[in-house]
Amino acid sequence: MPLTRFDYRMKIVVASKNPVKVNAILKSFSACFDDALEVVPVTVSSGVSDQPMDEDETLQGAINRAAEARNEIQGADFYAGIEGGVALHNDRLFAFAWIVIANHEFESHARTATFELPPQIRELIFSGMELGDADDLVFNQQNSKQQNGAVGLLTSDRLTREILYHQAAMLAIIPFLNRELYVERKQLSK
């Protein structure tokens, strides 16, 4: 059920042309705002490794993507940056993503759920492969990162990358739905 109403076409710039990321952002904004939406995908650099290997680098990639999208296309209502990453914990490798939603006032961060990657994929990543390429090799797929992703492959599409991102994007929208509770947050990443 939509929570907020604007009387104009809301413009959201997504810092990716990956349809999984674009659709997750579109669905999240559609669920939260009763507006006509214009989603503009744009290719920008994350400013981090192609395969972020820890929490901080992954979050920084999402922050950088949202900031670069804001630099690329000014005057939009919102900017969304999504960065997937992995992190090692007790010799197990976990996958997740950070999502940053920003407007002209502040930015909000949210993180997806985390899931463990199989040892075979972990070894391929440690040998220098990106997660999407490792998934494609192990599961004999092509371009799975623009489709169901690792989580979809591992759950037989019971949970897909888009669904995972959609939930986190909804969480990142919370401060914009409750602006009065977050007014002191005036930070914007450069």
Side-chain angles (χ1 to χ4, degrees):
M1 174 170 170
L3 303 173
T4 303
R5 171 109 181 107
F6 291 99
D7 293 327
Y8 59 90
R9 180 178 280 280
M10 184 186 298
K11 185 174 186 177
I12 303 133
V13 178
V14 180
S16 176
K17 291 188 177 180
N18 182 325
V20 169
K21 294 178 179 184
V22 173
N23 289 334
I25 295 299
L26 175 60
K27 287 178 182 177
S28 299
F29 274 86
S30 293
C32 293
F33 297 96
D34 187 22
D35 289 338
L37 302 175
E38 177 186 2
V39 175
V40 180
V42 61
T43 301
V44 297
S45 172
S46 69
V48 297
S49 305
D50 289 340
Q51 179 57 71
M53 296 296 286
D54 63 35
E55 284 284 334
D56 293 336
E57 184 181 21
T58 306
L59 175 56
Q60 191 61 56
I63 291 168
N64 293 349
R65 285 185 189 277
E68 287 297 315
R70 191 171 45 240
N71 291 337
E72 185 82 19
I73 300 176
Q74 298 178 2
D77 297 288
F78 291 98
Y79 300 89
I82 301 174
E83 188 70 24
V86 297
L88 190 64
H89 182 70
N90 293 334
D91 200 36
R92 295 177 181 202
L93 193 64
F94 295 87
F96 55 89
W98 275 99
I99 297 183
V100 171
I101 305 290
N103 68 6
H104 64 282
E105 295 180 297
F106 64 91
E107 66 186 35
S108 176
H109 305 167
R111 190 177 174 283
T112 66
T114 304
F115 60 98
E116 185 176 357
L117 295 168
Q120 185 178 7
I121 291 175
R122 180 190 66 212
E123 296 311 315
L124 290 169
I125 290 171
F126 285 150
S127 74
M129 246 186 214
E130 288 182 49
L131 174 57
D133 296 331
D135 291 337
D136 288 349
L137 182 64
V138 170
F139 290 98
N140 195 27
Q141 299 290 309
Q142 288 186 327
N143 204 20
S144 61
K145 67 183 176 183
Q146 291 194 358
Q147 298 168 44
N148 53 359
V151 70
L153 293 167
L154 291 166
T155 65
S156 299
D157 289 329
R158 290 176 181 91
L159 179 63
T160 64
R161 190 176 191 210
E162 184 178 312
I163 294 168
L164 194 68
Y165 289 174
H166 169 71
Q167 182 184 49
M170 295 274 296
L171 297 174
I173 293 171
I174 287 172
F176 301 101
L177 298 174
N178 300 278
R179 191 176 174 282
E180 69 284 357
L181 299 173
Y182 294 86
V183 290
E184 79 238 14
R185 295 178 64 186
K186 293 289 184 181
Q187 75 184 55
L188 284 175
S189 298
K190 306 253 188 269

